[in-house]
Amino acid sequence: MLLNASGCLDALTAPEVVRQLDVFVTKTITPLPRQGNEPVRVAETDHGMLNSIGLANPGRERFLSEVLPRLRELGMPLWVSVGGFAADDYAETCAFLSDVTVELNLSCPNVEDATGTAIEIVAACRAVTDLPLYAKLSPAVWDVGEAARAVEAAGADGLSLVNTIRGLALDAGLRPVLGRAVGGYSGPALKPIALAAVFAAHRGTSLPIVGMGGVRSGRDVLELVAAGASAVALGTVLFSDPDAPARVRSEVEAELASLGVASLDDARGLSHEARAGVTTLD
């Protein structure tokens, strides 16, 4: 299953790209509208991209009344990314949603930290909705397996791994490029970090995992699945290659054929079989 990473694709301006995916994931929605962070908000680096968008969005009321009905016209499964600054913010938004999967953005690196832990937020949302809840975790935590087990115990139905990680770029005058200085780093350099997180989470829990981070090719998809992902999201690549979903699907088939593996389902977790007996990522 192929998805887009939240915030990397606008379905209403590029529906032809969205229809190449199996699922569309919205930008993160917060209770109140947000203008986002001061510019500069996006900067390229040698090996990826920094962004400091700051969860710019129209707010929950407009999303529910204007945006979500238009997204439903796409006729495909929808995941709504939910954010906030306290557990109640997340839970209140979840209570308004129906017929979607919820991705809880628990780890955005370019806004103020939410009050409360991921466990508290997941538990608050679980208390108000029966919708599937996927917890999007940060790659910055040392023990991803432990974090995965904790949110599973709190009521999460799945994991999204990983969000961007904090990064900084300086201009020729040695000043921060981004208006907010530090932003979320994504792109090819994030892939080994994502693989390590998915690998650890797969060993720590039986939850389904959406792997993301640095995915550019069918080989990248296959590696995340081999590490334990049951689905994969495309992120930064969509900015430069809107045909990436179709290309990646074709490349996945070629990779599977070259390895003599029948399907992605058969490839899931293969890296664990190859490393049987490994107990740490040291």
Side-chain angles (χ1 to χ4, degrees), residues 99-123:
D99 194 28
V100 297
T101 292
V102 176
E103 183 178 77
L104 299 172
N105 186 354
L106 306 175
S107 51
C108 182
N110 54 54
V111 296
E112 306 87 348
D113 289 337
T115 301
T117 67
I119 299 169
E120 292 170 335
I121 294 169
V122 172

Side-chain angles (χ1 to χ4, degrees), residues 3 18 23-24 38 54 74 124 142 154 161 175 188 251 257-258 261 279:
L3 307 81
V18 171
V23 171
F24 175 70
E38 62 185 282
L74 293 169
W142 177 247
L161 298 170
R175 297 176 296 268
E251 292 173 355
S258 69
V261 178
T279 58

